[in-house]
Amino acid sequence: MAKLHLKRTPAEEVERALRKARKAAKTARKRSHLSEEAGQHGESSSKRRRRGEAIDSDLDEEVYGPPPPPSLSSAHKPDYDTILSELEDARFREKMWDALRDDERLDGIDARFNDYAHVPDRWRANAASGGSFEDQTDMDPRFMDDDTYTEWIRAGMWRRKNARQYEEEARVKAEKAARSARKKEMKAETTRLEKVAEERRKQKKRERESQREENARAEYDRKWKDLLDPNARHGSSLSFGDIPWPLFVSMMHSDTAHSDSSSITLEHFTTTAISAFLIPVSTISALAQDVGVSLPTHDRDKKEKKEKLRETMLRFHPDKFEGRVMRKVIETDKDRVREAVGQVARVLNTLMEE
């Protein structure tokens, strides 16, 4: 691979010229000393050689600095190739750092110039949408080229010459913008009113459902009170549909013609259905469930839930139900009632363990 040669900086050129001058001075002094020694016939060649080496060492010390201290080991020899490669690496790194600083300086200058860069007309948004020079009155003529400046001047002259027409066009444009803004506002207001109306419909629907649930729970409690009343005379005339089950019967069937207790099956006695009937959910909790947020349960709610489940378990406990209610059920529905009572008891046990 060829050696990389970088362009010298002014400081490097000065240093190189200084080294050349020192080298030339050294050579000149050496030649003068040799000529003087050649004229002295009494001196031996060994003395002249030692004197010349001393002069060379003095000159090297002036140019390259003092020599390194002698090594403690007599067998140590300097590795001139390693020293030369280290010097070349140091010079290369210095040149690279200088080049990097120059690039950073140029990048900074380029960034400052870009702050005042002018966006050509063909790259403007209004030019792409068919805008004219009448729409570009905010342009700065200092950043225009000759053609753009000419068109800008012509547009200004036309505006002065046809002031009424220009004002009329500006008025029409302002009215169009105002109509567009009003239309946008009306659309936003319509969307807001639709959202408010939808929230009101949802609120009324929740209120109706809540009222139906309250009526169903009140009817459930009333039937159980009549069922456990010792003075009431039922005989053996109770059917499966006459038993007050802890379910919303009207909400299980969309068809009102089949919304009676006789249409209930064992599949309807689920944990979700019985829990929804026995443990009413507040309005705030219902809203939180609609948006997917779970609220913490308070101690009072836990206590009410426990009491309600305990009361229902006393009603539907198989042994208690068998002794108090089963004797009043007609013979054809007893097996079905027993299965339903057992399913309710299992669901209640599951809810009480939660």
Side-chain angles (χ1 to χ4, degrees):
M1 181 177 179
K3 186 177 180 180
L4 180 62
H5 296 281
L6 299 178
K7 187 178 179 180
R8 298 186 183 90
T9 61
E12 291 175 348
E13 289 290 348
V14 172
E15 183 180 356
R16 184 169 178 269
L18 182 59
R19 287 199 301 268
K20 285 184 177 181
R22 289 176 177 174
K23 187 175 181 181
K26 172 186 174 181
T27 305
R29 286 195 297 269
K30 185 176 180 181
R31 288 178 180 176
S32 63
H33 283 293
L34 290 176
S35 61
E36 291 178 359
E37 290 177 357
Q40 297 176 359
H41 301 284
E43 292 182 342
S44 63
S45 60
S46 61
K47 290 183 179 180
R48 288 196 302 268
R49 186 166 53 253
R50 286 195 297 270
R51 187 180 294 110
E53 292 177 356
I55 293 172
D56 291 341
S57 62
D58 293 339
L59 292 176
D60 291 341
E61 185 173 353
E62 291 179 1
V63 177
Y64 300 104
S71 175
L72 298 177
S73 176
S74 60
H76 173 73
K77 294 182 180 180
D79 189 354
Y80 294 104
D81 294 336
T82 304
I83 296 174
L84 182 60
S85 62
E86 291 178 356
L87 291 174
E88 290 180 354
D89 291 341
R91 290 175 183 174
F92 177 77
R93 286 194 295 270
E94 184 178 359
K95 290 180 181 179
M96 292 300 294
W97 279 112
D98 293 340
L100 181 61
R101 285 192 289 269
D102 291 341
D103 292 341
E104 292 177 351
R105 180 176 58 83
L106 293 177
D107 291 341
I109 294 174
D110 185 65
R112 288 195 296 272
F113 275 121
N114 286 336
D115 292 340
Y116 302 96
H118 169 62
V119 179
D121 177 65
R122 62 181 177 276
W123 292 344
R124 287 174 173 257
N126 56 357
S129 60
S132 60
F133 277 91
E134 288 79 0
D135 302 328
Q136 302 175 5
T137 56
D138 59 338
M139 295 176 60
D140 193 342
R142 295 179 299 171
F143 304 114
M144 297 180 183
D145 54 15
D146 294 340
D147 296 337
T148 306
Y149 182 74
T150 302
E151 293 297 329
W152 186 73
I153 291 295
R154 288 176 182 174
M157 294 174 63
W158 183 88
R159 286 195 299 270
R160 292 184 180 181
K161 185 177 181 180
N162 304 275
R164 292 185 178 180
Q165 183 179 354
Y166 176 74
E167 292 176 358
E168 181 65 19
E169 292 179 355
R171 185 184 61 80
V172 172
K173 188 181 298 184
E175 291 179 354
K176 183 178 179 180
R179 286 196 301 270
S180 178
R182 287 195 298 270
K183 184 177 180 180
K184 187 176 180 180
E185 292 177 358
M186 291 176 62
K187 185 177 180 180
E189 183 65 16
T190 302
T191 304
R192 188 187 67 82
L193 293 177
E194 289 177 354
K195 289 183 178 180
V196 171
E198 182 66 20
E199 290 295 332
R200 289 179 179 175
R201 285 194 294 269
K202 290 181 179 180
Q203 180 66 23
K204 289 182 180 180
K205 182 179 179 180
R206 285 193 294 267
E207 291 177 356
R208 290 194 299 268
E209 291 178 355
S210 178
Q211 187 62 38
R212 286 198 298 267
E213 291 176 0
E214 291 296 330
N215 295 337
R217 293 188 183 97
E219 182 69 13
Y220 167 82
D221 292 335
R222 185 187 63 79
K223 287 184 177 181
W224 266 105
K225 185 177 181 181
D226 295 342
L227 187 62
L228 299 177
D229 187 3
N231 298 324
R233 296 181 180 180
H234 297 283
S236 299
S237 59
L238 292 179
S239 63
F240 182 86
D242 295 332
I243 304 298
W245 303 108
L247 297 173
F248 293 115
V249 179
S250 61
M251 297 182 183
M252 295 180 183
H253 305 278
S254 58
D255 189 2
T256 56
H258 300 85
S259 60
D260 56 349
S261 299
S262 61
S263 60
I264 300 177
T265 61
L266 291 178
E267 288 76 11
H268 293 145
F269 293 92
T270 62
T271 304
T272 303
I274 296 177
S275 176
F277 184 88
L278 296 177
I279 306 170
V281 181
S282 62
T283 304
I284 298 177
S285 300
L287 293 175
Q289 291 178 1
D290 292 340
V291 298
V293 178
S294 59
L295 297 178
T297 306
H298 300 286
D299 295 339
R300 185 182 62 182
D301 298 337
K302 292 181 180 179
K303 184 178 180 181
E304 293 179 356
K305 174 184 175 181
K306 186 176 181 179
E307 291 178 354
K308 189 65 178 179
L309 292 176
R310 182 175 177 275
E311 178 186 0
T312 309
M313 177 58 77
L314 292 176
R315 291 176 178 177
F316 285 96
H317 191 278
D319 296 337
K320 295 183 179 298
F321 192 90
E322 188 75 25
R324 293 187 301 179
V325 182
M326 189 62 70
R327 56 186 177 81
K328 303 177 184 179
V329 180
I330 59 178
E331 192 67 26
T332 56
D333 288 354
K334 283 186 178 182
D335 293 339
R336 186 182 175 192
V337 170
R338 285 192 182 95
E339 292 180 359
V341 170
Q343 179 66 18
V344 172
R346 287 190 291 271
V347 171
L348 293 175
N349 287 327
T350 302
L351 293 175
M352 293 176 70
E353 292 175 358
E354 292 180 353

